[in-house]
Amino acid sequence: MGPPAKRGVLRSRRYGDGFVEALLFFAAITSILVMVLIFYFLTYESFLAFRDVGVFDMIFGQKWHPAGDIFGMMPIIVGSVLITFIALFINILVGIPLAIYLSELAGPWSREFLKPAIELLAGVPSIVYGFLGVLILVVYLEKSFDMLTGRSILAGSILLGIMFIPALTTICEDALRAVPKEFKEGSLALGATHWQTVRRVTLPAASSGIIAAVILNVGRVIGETMAALLVVGNVARIPSPIFDAFDRGAIFTSVIAGEMGEVAHGSMHYHALFAVGFVLLVIVTILNISADLIRAAIQKKFGGY
Amino acid sequence: MKKIKPVPLASIVVALFLLISSLYYLLIQSEEIPLVPFWMGGLLVCTVLISASALALNRNADDRTRVVWTRGRFLPLAADLVYFLAVFLLVFSGRIRPDLEFEFLGLSAVFTYDLVLPFLVLLASFLVIKDSINLLYGYSTRGREVLVFSMVRLSAVFTLLLLGGIISIILYKGIGAISWEFLTQPHFRLGQEGGISTCIEGSFWLVMGAMLISAPLGVGAAIYLNEYSKRTGLKRIVTIAVGCLNGVPSVVYGLFGLAFLVATFGISLLSGSIILGLMNLPTIILTSQEALKSVPNSLREGSVALGATKWQTVWKVVIPSALPGVLTGMIIGVARAAGETAPIMWTAVTFSATPVHMFYGVIPDVTQPVNNLCYHLLNLIYFLGAWDVETKAWGTALVLLALVLIINMVAILVRNHYRKKISW
């Protein structure tokens, strides 16, 4: 924070300053305003659907069948949960070791090389991932598992899991780096090996940051649109058996993006899609706020690392 | 210890052969695998080598007092050996034959020979490497460390391969489509012919419009939060709102734009720019805040001590010092805006958009829809099965990827350049 304003400056300057401050204040509250507007418009547009179908039937309904005006979100929720779990598994399997490598093992040269590579990977547009997913991953899965179509929950999970490795790694690396050096040095001085130190000292000390990163990534996986839209198959039906990841499925975003293009403005289907978006927004916002709270709690507890 | 070293090393070499060859066959999914006898031989050799070095380790340890084979060490090793023999016997007895097909648990996938066998061998090779390294270091903590850290290094290799793979395959397949005509002509016949000039134009103006909105708002918000705000309560709320906005899925921005802007402005460049700008806001606020935070307080204090007002201090001292960081954030924002599809799908783009109409040759007509690289690629993907657009799609993907990666690279270079130059 800057120092307190000095008294006795010229009056005109002070008015100028006041004007600028008001402008900046407006810029600062824009994000609150946008957040409120997003919530308002999604609630407003989905209200009709929730009222006509009923909140409970809408969320726990077993069937999503827009042609027959049946809107139950359970197939979408099951698909999303399946995709999130498998994608997170892949994500964590590569992302956290990579963060450990960057923060603990990498020499200056390999760091200099790997850091920009990860940033570039994070910048690859999701539609490009989707394109490669359709032409390579889906074809490969189709061939190797003899599936009717390779577009499946599994394909979506693999693609999303790989896509968000950089996001997870970046935050986890920051968390690992923030662990005070004294902790590690103390452990090494006691005769622990490097890996024992990482496992028993660094990882536990950074665990809350890592958990926050994972929660944020859950939000990202659920909210990713283009890549998922192209490879999950977009068939909103509960897979049987329920853990059948090789079946086609649908998730929140793929349903919205896949069906919004062809619905009549103001129809029931249109409002139902907004309702799906509203549920998605609520889930993601809860995830984001909890990640934020976790981080804030940690800062309070440990004083800034 | 020293005497038995060559034995586990030999089994690691054999296992590496198994690993690479089985991975190869797992990836290409060929119907015939000529290497099967070698794999079986390799598995047997590994079983023998590991048992031998385990026995030798046991004998070497006899003269010391500590027990080498605790239950936690012996059981996994025994299980691995049983697994190797089981794979060998399954193939040898003809249970796993080229006509193998089975389904299980009701999954809608069929597991065939060309998938199952390489997978089993791949798993076996991993287990061999694990046991061999453990034996090599006599089950010490050092061995565990080597094991874990080699896995960790593998993740780094995987990431580099992933980036290299994405770039090289798109470059390889897309470079054939790139020509001067492809870049300077609009597409026709549903994208089968012509180029992507309208898309490049549309992407450019959308990104420009987005930056025009998000840059002043984002940097202003960051300055207010960092330099002006004294009420911590407000700051906390804004921080939470920015965090939430950052996480709002892009498709929700699309819905928001559809409900909020399309009713007023129609499907137009303006609606798309506003939505993309709002979406970019959190990125720019967060990066600018980082940059402002890194400016030391002594600079501000020096300026105020010279009689400057708050705004003069911010404008003449703080912003110039934070400029590289702010600039980096903006460039990353440009790259993000250029690569987003979902927010503009229903608000700004149509596949058949005409070239952007310009007033006085410089100001674009913001009320008309445009085409965009991402949206064009999406449509080409939808057309893939029906029309011959694959080459054009690879070309579009190449242009898009190159654009986004080059912008990102510029951001990285700017940051690194100034990081070396400025030291407080």
Side-chain angles (χ1 to χ4, degrees):
Chain A
M1 290 328 90
K6 263 190 110 186
R7 287 187 190 170
V9 287
L10 286 173
R11 179 166 288 189
S12 62
R13 269 188 188 177
R14 209 155 68 190
Y15 284 139
D17 261 26
F19 178 64
V20 168
E21 190 173 340
L23 275 185
L24 293 176
F25 177 75
F26 172 73
I29 58 166
T30 310
S31 25
I32 304 179
L33 198 72
V34 173
M35 201 66 211
V36 171
L37 277 178
I38 290 180
F39 260 98
Y40 170 74
F41 274 100
L42 264 78
T43 319
Y44 178 79
E45 293 284 352
S46 59
F47 177 73
L48 263 176
F50 278 121
R51 196 192 62 191
D52 281 15
V53 182
V55 176
F56 187 86
D57 285 349
M58 184 107 208
I59 295 179
F60 295 101
Q62 306 281 320
K63 261 196 184 138
W64 178 268
H65 189 60
D69 264 359
I70 304 171
F71 302 106
M73 277 186 224
M74 215 53 209
I76 305 170
I77 294 174
V78 170
S80 294
V81 169
L82 259 179
I83 282 212
T84 308
F85 268 108
I86 307 176
L88 266 194
F89 176 74
I90 298 170
N91 201 227
I92 290 173
L93 201 69
V94 183
I96 290 184
L98 188 59
I100 294 176
Y101 179 78
L102 278 174
S103 69
E104 300 287 330
L105 295 179
W109 188 84
S110 63
R111 213 182 123 71
E112 200 85 333
F113 192 66
L114 204 57
K115 265 304 250 187
I118 289 172
E119 275 169 83
L120 287 187
L121 204 55
V124 175
S126 59
I127 186 86
V128 172
Y129 274 107
F131 179 58
L132 292 177
V134 168
L135 284 182
I136 296 173
L137 182 66
V138 165
V139 172
Y140 173 74
L141 288 178
E142 203 170 302
K143 199 173 162 198
S144 55
F145 290 105
D146 254 356
M147 293 147 79
L148 289 175
T149 158
R151 297 180 188 231
S152 58
I153 294 178
L154 184 69
S157 316
I158 295 175
L159 205 59
L160 294 185
I162 287 177
M163 251 181 99
F164 292 113
I165 289 169
L168 183 71
T169 299
T170 315
I171 308 182
C172 282
E173 195 211 342
D174 287 344
L176 286 170
R177 276 186 182 280
V179 174
K181 231 183 187 165
E182 292 80 11
F183 285 24
K184 297 178 206 165
E185 282 165 359
S187 163
L188 289 172
L190 286 171
T193 62
H194 197 168
W195 165 240
Q196 283 172 327
T197 306
V198 170
R199 182 168 164 212
R200 307 271 176 200
V201 178
T202 317
L203 280 178
S207 61
S208 18
I210 293 174
I211 290 170
V214 171
I215 293 176
L216 279 180
N217 249 24
V218 174
R220 286 199 191 96
V221 169
I222 295 182
E224 170 48 45
T225 315
M226 298 325 291
L229 167 71
L230 291 170
V231 300
V232 293
N234 284 330
V235 176
R237 115 189 125 206
I238 299 180
S240 69
I242 204 160
F243 51 82
D244 185 5
F246 295 95
D247 202 354
R248 284 174 293 170
I251 65 174
F252 290 108
T253 51
S254 76
V255 168
I256 301 172
E259 296 177 8
M260 188 52 102
E262 53 218 37
V263 299
H265 189 97
S267 64
M268 198 56 186
H269 191 184
Y270 173 88
H271 292 297
L273 289 177
F274 269 93
V276 175
F278 179 73
V279 174
L280 173 65
L281 177 66
V282 169
I283 294 173
V284 171
T285 307
I286 290 173
L287 287 171
N288 276 316
I289 291 181
S290 51
D292 194 73
L293 288 181
I294 289 176
R295 230 182 295 167
I298 302 318
Q299 266 180 6
K300 217 173 182 181
K301 200 165 155 193
F302 291 106
Y305 85 84
Chain B
M1 259 317 287
K2 267 177 194 160
K3 265 187 246 166
I4 64 163
K5 228 171 191 174
V7 182
L9 277 180
S11 66
I12 289 180
V13 172
V14 176
L16 283 178
F17 160 72
L18 291 181
L19 182 108
I20 292 167
S21 56
S22 62
L23 200 60
Y24 174 75
Y25 279 101
L26 196 60
L27 287 181
I28 67 159
Q29 289 288 313
S30 112
E31 295 287 326
E32 284 187 21
I33 306 176
L35 285 177
V36 173
F38 293 98
W39 284 355
M40 293 307 116
L43 270 184
L44 268 193
V45 168
C46 285
T47 314
V48 172
L49 288 176
I50 286 178
S51 325
S53 48
L55 289 175
L57 186 70
N58 202 23
R59 216 183 51 201
N60 276 14
D62 273 345
D63 43 302
R64 279 183 254 163
T65 43
R66 70 194 178 94
V67 184
V68 175
W69 292 113
T70 57
R71 188 180 289 180
R73 288 168 182 173
F74 180 70
L75 286 183
L77 183 69
D80 292 351
L81 290 176
V82 168
Y83 173 75
F84 303 151
L85 289 178
V87 173
F88 179 78
L89 282 178
L90 278 176
V91 176
F92 192 69
S93 67
R95 284 297 163 96
I96 300 183
R97 275 198 314 263
D99 58 352
L100 171 90
E101 269 181 22
F102 74 97
E103 301 173 34
F104 81 127
L105 290 176
L107 295 174
S108 34
V110 184
F111 298 89
T112 49
Y113 175 74
D114 41 350
L115 180 82
V116 173
L117 183 65
F119 179 74
L120 290 178
V121 173
L122 185 72
L123 195 62
S125 67
F126 269 112
L127 293 176
V128 169
I129 292 177
K130 184 198 89 179
D131 290 330
S132 305
I133 288 182
N134 271 334
L135 287 165
L136 197 61
Y137 288 93
Y139 278 92
S140 63
T141 49
R142 175 94 185 101
R144 180 151 286 261
E145 186 180 75
V146 169
L147 200 65
V148 174
F149 282 170
S150 47
M151 292 292 169
V152 167
R153 288 202 169 83
L154 217 58
S155 72
V157 173
F158 174 81
T159 315
L160 287 179
L161 282 183
L162 186 65
L163 180 67
I166 290 175
I167 293 178
S168 53
I169 195 156
I170 289 187
L171 202 62
Y172 172 72
K173 294 254 193 177
I175 200 82
I178 304 290
S179 64
W180 184 246
E181 283 73 39
F182 185 68
L183 295 176
T184 53
Q185 277 184 4
H187 65 87
F188 49 92
R189 290 190 59 212
L190 293 170
Q192 292 177 77
E193 280 167 44
I196 50 170
S197 69
T198 47
C199 317
I200 296 177
E201 241 177 28
S203 283
F204 176 78
W205 286 116
L206 274 172
V207 169
M208 278 297 141
M211 290 320 287
L212 220 58
I213 289 163
S214 59
L217 280 178
V219 178
I223 291 175
Y224 185 82
L225 290 178
N226 220 44
E227 308 291 327
Y228 283 86
S229 114
K230 294 175 201 78
R231 283 166 292 179
T232 48
L234 177 77
K235 203 174 158 182
R236 182 99 191 93
I237 294 174
V238 173
T239 313
I240 291 178
V242 170
C244 285
L245 270 189
N246 204 12
V248 169
S250 51
V251 73
V252 172
Y253 278 102
L255 289 179
F256 170 57
L258 183 61
F260 174 48
L261 295 170
V262 172
T264 327
F265 302 118
I267 296 182
S268 64
L269 182 57
L270 184 63
S271 315
S273 301
I274 295 176
I275 282 298
L276 278 181
L278 294 182
M279 215 191 77
N280 251 343
L281 203 56
T283 316
I284 293 188
I285 293 179
L286 290 172
T287 44
S288 307
Q289 252 188 312
E290 278 306 304
L292 291 172
K293 263 181 208 159
S294 69
V295 176
N297 257 341
S298 54
L299 286 187
R300 297 190 183 91
E301 281 154 12
S303 164
V304 174
L306 288 172
T309 62
K310 184 115 196 177
W311 174 242
Q312 283 172 326
T313 304
V314 169
W315 184 243
K316 295 268 166 71
V317 177
V318 178
I319 291 183
S321 337
L323 200 59
V326 174
L327 214 61
T328 314
M330 283 189 199
I331 301 173
I332 290 173
V334 168
R336 264 195 72 179
E340 276 296 346
T341 324
I344 50 171
M345 261 165 87
W346 313 301
T347 51
V349 287
T350 52
F351 185 64
S352 53
T354 47
V356 180
H357 176 252
M358 304 290 256
F359 296 117
Y360 309 114
V362 279
I363 307 165
D365 178 7
V366 294
T367 56
Q368 65 172 43
V370 292
N371 201 351
N372 165 290
L373 278 173
C374 301
Y375 190 68
H376 187 72
L377 181 56
L378 177 69
N379 275 293
L380 292 187
I381 296 172
Y382 280 147
F383 295 159
L384 270 181
W387 289 285
D388 178 29
V389 289
E390 193 169 330
T391 349
K392 299 282 178 195
W394 282 108
T396 314
L398 175 60
V399 172
L400 177 63
L401 186 73
L403 205 71
V404 171
L405 289 193
I406 287 172
I407 298 171
N408 267 314
M409 210 127 40
V410 169
I412 294 170
L413 288 179
V414 167
R415 195 191 49 206
N416 285 356
H417 180 73
Y418 282 99
R419 189 182 282 164
K420 273 174 201 149
K421 215 167 163 189
I422 299 175
S423 53
W424 304 111

